[in-house]
Amino acid sequence: MSESKLLDVLIAQAKLSKKQTEKQQKIVEAAIHIFAEKGYANTSTSEIAKVAGVAEGTIFRHYGTKDNLLLSIILPFFKETFPMMAEEVFTEIASNVDSFEEFLKAFLKNRIHFFLENKQIAKVVVKELIYNEELKKDLLPYLSENFLVRVNKAVEFFKERGEFIDIPTDRIGRMLLTFIGGFLVSRLVLLHDYTVTDEDIDDAVSLVINGIGRREDGTE
Amino acid sequence: MSESKLLDVLIAQAKLSKKQTEKQQKIVEAAIHIFAEKGYANTSTSEIAKVAGVAEGTIFRHYGTKDNLLLSIILPFFKETFPMMAEEVFTEIASNVDSFEEFLKAFLKNRIHFFLENKQIAKVVVKELIYNEELKKDLLPYLSENFLVRVNKAVEFFKERGEFIDIPTDRIGRMLLTFIGGFLVSRLVLLHDYTVTDEDIDDAVSLVINGIGRREDGTE
Amino acid sequence: MSESKLLDVLIAQAKLSKKQTEKQQKIVEAAIHIFAEKGYANTSTSEIAKVAGVAEGTIFRHYGTKDNLLLSIILPFFKETFPMMAEEVFTEIASNVDSFEEFLKAFLKNRIHFFLENKQIAKVVVKELIYNEELKKDLLPYLSENFLVRVNKAVEFFKERGEFIDIPTDRIGRMLLTFIGGFLVSRLVLLHDYTVTDEDIDDAVSLVINGIGRREDGTE
Amino acid sequence: MSESKLLDVLIAQAKLSKKQTEKQQKIVEAAIHIFAEKGYANTSTSEIAKVAGVAEGTIFRHYGTKDNLLLSIILPFFKETFPMMAEEVFTEIASNVDSFEEFLKAFLKNRIHFFLENKQIAKVVVKELIYNEELKKDLLPYLSENFLVRVNKAVEFFKERGEFIDIPTDRIGRMLLTFIGGFLVSRLVLLHDYTVTDEDIDDAVSLVINGIGRREDGTE
DNA sequence: TATGAATGAGCTTTCATTCAT
DNA sequence: GATGAATGAAAGCTCATTCAT
């Protein structure tokens, strides 16, 4: 993973991903499970091959290098993490809800369900994003830019409605990023076999919005 | 790191840690820096030896295995993370401040300063805690137990003073854990060269306590 | 190239070489170019297939093994190297020229033109003849026998005319072999992109015949 | 052998070559024999290890890469090939002999004895110089420059004494290079188990100087 | 105590070859 | 005939660990 040309890889992926052999699926499946459990660096290609029920050479025929196998797992997931964050979708959600609290709940429910549906891959992505300096350098900026830009828009939208206390937009954005990031990291790579219900999300968002301190006026 | 007998190791460490050779210091120093940068799995003992300016054999003479070298970096740091969390200290802090908000600020400032002073080791600890399943299994329960038990006590303490809205104590504890964990992970292993000022901490705690939403009564 | 049964192969070749598919031509063409550039051992069949624009399997369908592909390049060239050396042709040339010098010039011009016209194949042949012990064992005796027997005949022919100083025929033959061999090797595998003009050959032969030292009598 | 920085390697070699382990000697010895017989590309490090009676890892502990093992065989030999060709030595030899013929005989006897004493290494060097494009690119210019510059000086020296027919100096030089090169290649990599006596050399040089043709004036 | 040469298991990767389609 | 997915043996190389000095 020396010289990162992620764009090239993404393009190459797109071209190659036309048809996927049955064996390829098994390889990716096996790799995801073992990477998720033991981490990329501690997983040998021979183990992947054994679990996938293919010859070791088959892995390299399709993915060239072990690094590339990791990328072909991570990148598609990465791309899918953000489509719903496309600006128009964001705006639409924002328009259909009454408050930032509702917006955040709707947004998080959607994305967390996506993560739960791909729990294993998500685990791999988060772990490697933390561990792999190269990958981090390439993907994090992309991630935080996408996330912050959009969330900040939403914050501004509701700020105009007077929903927020007087703190800078980007501080709110960063705080949300930290909290959501912490939430995902703790659930995905620190705790095992987590599930998050919609009620959990509702509660967490309420706390973030309203704080855990008692209101002076007695309301919650 | 197959069969973990952390207690044994801790005891053995204690016995051995009486005197540390000059060479040992150099080894540990080098190991911390390289582990922090490249991760444990991607660091070879030969590289550590080279950077430390000792023979490779010397590492094994002192630490037996590479795993053990990692432990002798992580465990002392780990133990030092909690002394101030000893129950009496906790209680004392809690008694000397006027509110949970102040308590949290005092507590976090203390611990974050400790982390900043040992930034490199902290990085290693967090990274390996996330990545190394074995280590996680051994240390996480210890950590969360220590942290939760004490924070919950503090929460109960201030709850009696009517400082919290009506949510279960352990939910508040877990939420704080998530937020603080997220804060540390994002700063230590996702972002580079971070520093956190006391003001940053004050702000963050205020937000957690008070929420980001505007109060109905107009106060902040 | 473990068990060499060149005769069998030659026969098999003859049978197969009747018709050459368009794909076969492309394969052989590609193989010649890459073998010439990088050497047989450093060339993979997959690269040949890619350059030839065929599937890797196609190579094996036609040639069975990589070794056999090499042979089907080398052997035909090898056979074509000597037809004009058939005894009668040799004798005829010898009869039509006035001196051994002229004979040698005529002979070399003819053969070197043939080599130049097949520069790439010649390169492969020479390189592998030197590098591949198995091939060497099979082909060299055949080559030197063919060459020496005939050249020696020519030498004898002109010796009777008193053209040579008094040295044994076979020493003259071996010396010519060495010189011509050195000439070819240096031009084909040591220097790049050589061309040899007829004047070059005339000069070289003159020097071999007459030496580079000044004649006592002042003639050249 | 991708990026050739021969000078760096030479320097590194010099530094490392201080002390050679017993195992190192066995490795180099084994490598020379097998490279000489089967060629570099057809020799596996595992075979070298087996023949040398060491673990495969030992090879890489000392030489880092297989390429580097080859270089540490070739380069020292290469450097030793030319010391006696230092200009002053050349000039001295030239001054102490009566003719170019004698000079050439003295020079060749010296160098050929050196080659015979290191027959196996010489075989490796010549074979790889021919086969290995990278090595060729690096070493050939150095070789021909060293050789040609000095031989041309000697030729000029004797030319002033009127020893040569009227042919350009550099053509004589190139011709000698071709002949000597051909001689070495044919003896080292084409024929097996050769020996060259001083008489052989005398004869060969005589032929080169005087040619194989009978003099018009009847002298030899 | 400290060294560093030696090890060998295990790693990623390459490649000639096979075979179902 | 042609394909290209699949194979698995073998390649070069890394590395934690041992041990004689």
Side-chain angles (χ1 to χ4, degrees):
Chain A
M1 207 154 286
S2 51
E3 298 206 5
S4 70
K5 292 161 185 170
L6 273 183
L7 273 187
D8 297 352
V9 175
L10 277 164
I11 291 162
Q13 289 302 340
K15 278 182 189 159
L16 292 170
S17 69
K18 284 167 190 168
K19 357 161 186 176
Q20 232 191 336
T21 324
E22 186 197 354
K23 303 262 175 183
Q24 274 193 71
Q25 282 182 337
K26 283 189 177 174
I27 290 168
V28 166
E29 224 167 276
I32 288 169
H33 282 296
I34 317 182
F35 286 166
E37 189 191 352
K38 309 172 37 176
Y40 173 79
N42 299 315
T43 302
S44 72
T45 50
S46 89
E47 190 180 355
I48 297 170
K50 208 178 295 167
V51 171
V54 302
E56 207 170 347
T58 308
I59 295 176
F60 290 92
R61 153 160 264 274
H62 288 295
Y63 300 96
T65 65
K66 193 188 165 195
D67 268 2
N68 206 37
L69 172 59
L70 176 65
L71 286 180
S72 65
I73 290 170
I74 286 185
L75 294 184
F77 177 85
F78 214 79
K79 285 190 291 183
E80 271 193 67
T81 304
F82 292 108
M84 139 353 143
M85 288 168 73
E87 266 181 63
E88 58 275 17
V89 183
F90 243 70
T91 317
E92 199 197 310
I93 296 183
S95 314
N96 287 333
V97 294
D98 290 340
S99 63
F100 184 74
E101 191 169 342
E102 272 184 55
F103 165 79
L104 202 55
K105 284 174 179 172
F107 169 70
L108 285 182
K109 280 173 190 169
N110 175 294
R111 288 299 82 191
I112 284 174
H113 282 165
F114 170 70
F115 269 56
L116 285 172
E117 281 157 17
N118 302 276
K119 202 193 287 193
Q120 295 287 75
I121 303 185
K123 218 168 176 175
V124 176
V125 171
V126 173
K127 264 191 182 171
E128 289 312 313
L129 216 45
I130 285 168
Y131 203 71
N132 186 319
E133 216 63 27
E134 203 64 39
L135 214 54
K136 196 158 75 186
K137 211 170 59 197
D138 288 341
L139 296 184
L140 263 195
Y142 175 69
L143 184 153
S144 72
E145 189 188 336
N146 266 280
F147 181 84
L148 281 182
V149 164
R150 278 146 196 175
V151 162
N152 284 355
K153 267 221 175 99
V155 169
E156 290 288 348
F157 180 85
F158 289 103
K159 231 180 179 177
E160 284 173 19
R161 295 203 193 165
E163 283 203 30
F164 292 97
I165 58 176
D166 194 20
I167 39 177
T169 300
D170 60 339
R171 268 200 64 211
I172 297 177
R174 272 188 283 119
M175 205 208 160
L176 284 171
L177 191 55
T178 296
F179 191 77
I180 295 173
F183 189 83
L184 289 175
V185 168
S186 64
R187 292 307 191 279
L188 281 170
V189 298
L190 291 180
L191 310 175
H192 287 278
D193 301 322
Y194 76 106
T195 32
V196 184
T197 64
D198 283 356
E199 286 72 37
D200 289 334
I201 297 172
D202 287 342
D203 283 353
V205 171
S206 290
L207 286 180
V208 169
I209 300 293
N210 302 311
I212 59 179
R214 172 172 296 281
R215 303 293 165 120
E216 299 299 321
D217 62 357
T219 69
E220 283 190 13
Chain B
M1 204 153 286
S2 50
E3 298 207 2
S4 72
K5 295 161 185 170
L6 271 184
L7 274 185
D8 297 352
V9 175
L10 277 163
I11 290 163
Q13 287 303 338
K15 280 181 187 160
L16 292 170
S17 70
K18 284 166 188 168
K19 1 164 185 174
Q20 235 191 334
T21 327
E22 187 195 353
K23 302 258 176 188
Q24 278 192 67
Q25 281 183 338
K26 283 189 176 173
I27 290 168
V28 166
E29 224 169 277
I32 288 169
H33 282 295
I34 316 181
F35 286 165
E37 189 190 352
K38 307 170 38 174
Y40 173 79
N42 299 316
T43 302
S44 70
T45 50
S46 89
E47 189 181 356
I48 297 170
K50 207 180 293 167
V51 171
V54 303
E56 211 171 343
T58 309
I59 295 176
F60 289 91
R61 164 153 282 277
H62 286 297
Y63 300 95
T65 66
K66 192 189 167 193
D67 270 359
N68 206 37
L69 171 60
L70 176 65
L71 286 180
S72 64
I73 289 170
I74 286 185
L75 294 184
F77 177 85
F78 215 79
K79 284 190 290 183
E80 271 192 67
T81 304
F82 292 108
M84 100 62 99
M85 287 168 73
E87 266 181 63
E88 57 277 15
V89 183
F90 242 69
T91 318
E92 199 198 312
I93 296 182
S95 313
N96 286 333
V97 295
D98 289 340
S99 63
F100 184 73
E101 191 169 344
E102 273 185 56
F103 165 79
L104 202 53
K105 285 174 180 174
F107 169 68
L108 285 181
K109 279 174 191 170
N110 176 292
R111 289 298 81 191
I112 284 175
H113 282 165
F114 170 69
F115 268 56
L116 284 172
E117 281 157 17
N118 302 277
K119 202 192 286 193
Q120 295 288 72
I121 303 185
K123 218 167 175 174
V124 176
V125 171
V126 173
K127 262 189 183 173
E128 289 311 315
L129 217 45
I130 284 167
Y131 205 70
N132 186 319
E133 216 64 25
E134 204 65 38
L135 213 55
K136 196 157 74 185
K137 212 169 57 194
D138 289 340
L139 297 183
L140 262 194
Y142 175 70
L143 184 154
S144 71
E145 189 187 337
N146 267 278
F147 180 85
L148 280 182
V149 164
R150 278 145 196 176
V151 162
N152 284 354
K153 270 222 172 94
V155 169
E156 289 289 348
F157 181 86
F158 289 102
K159 230 181 179 177
E160 285 173 17
R161 295 202 193 166
E163 282 202 33
F164 292 97
I165 58 176
D166 193 21
I167 38 178
T169 299
D170 61 336
R171 268 200 63 210
I172 297 178
R174 272 188 283 117
M175 205 206 161
L176 284 171
L177 191 56
T178 296
F179 192 78
I180 295 173
F183 189 83
L184 289 175
V185 168
S186 64
R187 293 307 191 277
L188 280 169
V189 299
L190 291 181
L191 310 175
H192 288 276
D193 301 321
Y194 76 105
T195 33
V196 184
T197 66
D198 283 356
E199 285 73 37
D200 289 335
I201 297 172
D202 286 342
D203 282 353
V205 171
S206 289
L207 285 180
V208 169
I209 300 293
N210 302 310
I212 57 178
R214 173 173 295 279
R215 302 295 165 122
E216 297 301 320
D217 60 358
T219 69
E220 283 190 15
Chain C
M1 205 153 289
S2 50
E3 298 207 3
S4 70
K5 294 161 184 171
L6 272 183
L7 273 186
D8 297 351
V9 175
L10 277 165
I11 290 162
Q13 286 305 339
K15 280 180 188 162
L16 292 170
S17 69
K18 283 167 188 167
K19 6 168 180 169
Q20 234 190 335
T21 327
E22 187 196 353
K23 302 259 176 188
Q24 278 192 69
Q25 280 182 339
K26 284 189 176 173
I27 291 169
V28 166
E29 224 168 277
I32 288 169
H33 281 295
I34 317 181
F35 286 165
E37 189 191 353
K38 307 170 38 175
Y40 174 79
N42 299 316
T43 302
S44 70
T45 50
S46 89
E47 189 180 356
I48 297 170
K50 206 181 296 166
V51 171
V54 303
E56 210 171 343
T58 309
I59 294 176
F60 289 90
R61 163 154 282 276
H62 286 297
Y63 300 96
T65 67
K66 192 187 165 194
D67 270 0
N68 205 38
L69 171 60
L70 177 65
L71 286 180
S72 64
I73 289 169
I74 286 184
L75 293 184
F77 177 86
F78 216 79
K79 283 189 290 181
E80 271 193 65
T81 304
F82 292 109
M84 111 41 112
M85 289 168 73
E87 264 181 66
E88 59 276 17
V89 183
F90 243 69
T91 317
E92 199 197 310
I93 297 182
S95 316
N96 286 335
V97 295
D98 289 341
S99 63
F100 184 73
E101 192 169 342
E102 272 185 56
F103 165 78
L104 201 53
K105 284 174 180 173
F107 169 68
L108 285 181
K109 279 173 192 171
N110 176 291
R111 288 298 83 190
I112 283 174
H113 281 165
F114 170 69
F115 269 55
L116 285 172
E117 281 157 18
N118 302 276
K119 201 194 284 194
Q120 295 288 75
I121 303 186
K123 218 168 176 174
V124 175
V125 171
V126 172
K127 262 189 181 172
E128 290 310 315
L129 216 44
I130 284 168
Y131 206 71
N132 186 320
E133 215 63 25
E134 203 64 37
L135 213 54
K136 194 158 74 187
K137 211 169 58 194
D138 289 339
L139 296 184
L140 261 193
Y142 175 70
L143 185 153
S144 71
E145 188 187 338
N146 267 279
F147 181 85
L148 280 182
V149 164
R150 278 144 196 177
V151 162
N152 284 354
K153 268 217 173 99
V155 170
E156 290 289 350
F157 180 87
F158 289 103
K159 230 179 178 178
E160 284 172 18
R161 296 204 195 165
E163 283 203 31
F164 292 98
I165 58 177
D166 193 18
I167 40 178
T169 299
D170 61 338
R171 267 200 65 211
I172 297 178
R174 271 188 284 117
M175 204 207 163
L176 283 172
L177 190 55
T178 295
F179 191 77
I180 295 173
F183 189 82
L184 288 176
V185 168
S186 65
R187 293 306 190 278
L188 280 171
V189 298
L190 291 181
L191 311 175
H192 287 277
D193 302 321
Y194 76 104
T195 33
V196 184
T197 64
D198 283 357
E199 285 72 38
D200 289 335
I201 296 172
D202 287 342
D203 282 353
V205 171
S206 288
L207 284 180
V208 169
I209 300 294
N210 302 311
I212 59 179
R214 172 173 295 279
R215 302 294 167 122
E216 298 300 321
D217 61 358
T219 68
E220 285 190 15
Chain D
M1 204 154 286
S2 50
E3 298 206 4
S4 71
K5 293 160 185 171
L6 272 183
L7 272 186
D8 297 352
V9 174
L10 277 164
I11 291 163
Q13 289 302 341
K15 278 181 187 161
L16 292 171
S17 69
K18 284 167 188 168
K19 356 161 185 174
Q20 232 191 337
T21 324
E22 186 197 353
K23 302 262 176 183
Q24 275 193 72
Q25 282 181 339
K26 284 189 177 174
I27 290 168
V28 167
E29 224 168 277
I32 288 169
H33 282 296
I34 316 182
F35 286 166
E37 189 192 351
K38 307 172 36 175
Y40 174 79
N42 299 316
T43 303
S44 73
T45 51
S46 90
E47 189 180 356
I48 296 171
K50 208 178 294 169
V51 171
V54 303
E56 206 171 347
T58 308
I59 295 176
F60 291 93
R61 153 160 264 273
H62 287 296
Y63 299 97
T65 65
K66 192 188 165 195
D67 268 2
N68 206 37
L69 171 59
L70 176 65
L71 285 180
S72 65
I73 289 171
I74 286 185
L75 294 184
F77 178 86
F78 214 79
K79 283 190 292 182
E80 272 193 66
T81 305
F82 292 107
M84 110 44 110
M85 288 169 71
E87 264 181 65
E88 57 276 17
V89 183
F90 242 70
T91 317
E92 201 198 309
I93 296 182
S95 313
N96 286 332
V97 294
D98 289 340
S99 63
F100 184 72
E101 189 168 342
E102 271 185 54
F103 164 80
L104 201 54
K105 284 174 179 173
F107 169 69
L108 285 182
K109 279 174 190 169
N110 175 295
R111 287 300 81 189
I112 283 174
H113 282 163
F114 170 69
F115 269 56
L116 284 173
E117 281 157 18
N118 302 278
K119 200 194 285 192
Q120 295 288 74
I121 303 186
K123 219 168 175 173
V124 176
V125 171
V126 172
K127 263 190 182 172
E128 290 310 315
L129 217 45
I130 285 168
Y131 203 73
N132 186 321
E133 215 63 26
E134 203 64 38
L135 213 55
K136 195 158 74 186
K137 210 169 59 195
D138 289 339
L139 296 184
L140 260 195
Y142 175 69
L143 184 153
S144 72
E145 189 187 338
N146 267 279
F147 181 86
L148 279 182
V149 164
R150 276 145 197 175
V151 162
N152 284 353
K153 265 217 176 100
V155 169
E156 288 289 347
F157 181 86
F158 289 103
K159 232 178 176 177
E160 284 173 20
R161 295 204 194 163
E163 282 204 30
F164 292 94
I165 57 176
D166 193 19
I167 38 179
T169 299
D170 61 338
R171 267 199 65 209
I172 297 178
R174 271 187 284 117
M175 206 209 160
L176 283 172
L177 191 56
T178 296
F179 191 77
I180 295 173
F183 189 83
L184 288 176
V185 168
S186 64
R187 293 306 191 279
L188 280 170
V189 298
L190 290 182
L191 309 176
H192 287 277
D193 302 322
Y194 76 105
T195 32
V196 184
T197 65
D198 283 357
E199 285 72 36
D200 289 335
I201 297 172
D202 287 343
D203 283 353
V205 171
S206 289
L207 286 181
V208 169
I209 301 293
N210 301 311
I212 57 179
R214 173 173 295 281
R215 303 293 165 123
E216 298 300 319
D217 60 358
T219 69
E220 284 190 15

